[in-house]
Amino acid sequence: MKKKLTSLVLLSTLINATTLTSLDIRYELAKDYASKKSINYDIKKAYNLLVDNVNENHAKSQLLIGRFFLIGLAVDKDYEKALYYFKEASKQKEYTANCYIAYMYASGKGVFPNFGRAHVFAKSEYEQGNKVCKKVWRDYNLGKYPKDKGWNIGKYNKPIE
């Protein structure tokens, strides 16, 4: 009964939110399914909803599915795919994606470590108070690496402002 009531409340909230698109509704539903705190927890359903949204270029879904690939949630870890989805979300000005890109460069997960590039991707959001960027900034001491001294391989070496 409690599960049905929670689902009805969530559904009515989403229906009443006139500014939400069907992509946003699927994203919010996916977040609910992905939360271990939710009584609706079902990571496979969350992933499937996100895939549908990613196929329609939804930035928030790209960010979340990137996290799935980064940590191996519902799928095997795949740093290359994680970085791809973070970059796609970042290009659409989903700025938290920059924090995850910074993390990948700082930790060397899926890319050659580059603290300067991590600095470049994290700085703006760190200054804005983004929790993810603040953690990456502190954990990897990015303040002391202001220059990107790496090779500019690829087309996305600094975030879109």
Side-chain angles (χ1 to χ4, degrees), residues 69-71 77-83 86 100-114 140:
F69 282 109
L70 180 64
I71 62 176
K77 285 183 185 181
D78 188 330
Y79 298 134
E80 187 176 318
K81 285 183 182 177
L83 185 61
F86 292 145
Y100 287 101
I101 294 170
Y103 166 73
M104 293 183 78
Y105 277 114
S107 66
K109 293 199 184 290
V111 294
F112 192 78
N114 184 328
Y140 293 95

Side-chain angles (χ1 to χ4, degrees), residues 31-101:
K31 276 185 18 182
D32 184 51
Y33 285 141
S35 172
K36 289 185 178 178
K37 295 178 183 176
S38 171
I39 59 173
N40 299 319
Y41 178 76
D42 187 333
I43 201 64
K44 294 292 184 189
K45 282 184 182 179
Y47 177 78
N48 289 331
L49 285 169
L50 291 173
V51 167
D52 291 341
N53 277 8
V54 164
N55 288 336
E56 295 187 43
N57 211 27
H58 187 255
K60 288 181 179 180
S61 296
Q62 290 169 330
L63 173 65
L64 191 52
I65 210 162
R67 288 181 56 207
F68 277 33
F69 282 109
L70 180 64
I71 62 176
L73 190 59
V75 292
D76 292 334
K77 285 183 185 181
D78 188 330
Y79 298 134
E80 187 176 318
K81 285 183 182 177
L83 185 61
Y84 170 80
Y85 287 119
F86 292 145
K87 285 181 177 180
E88 291 301 306
S90 174
K91 289 175 187 176
Q92 295 183 68
K93 299 185 178 183
E94 187 60 45
Y95 296 118
T96 299
N98 293 335
C99 304
Y100 287 101
I101 294 170

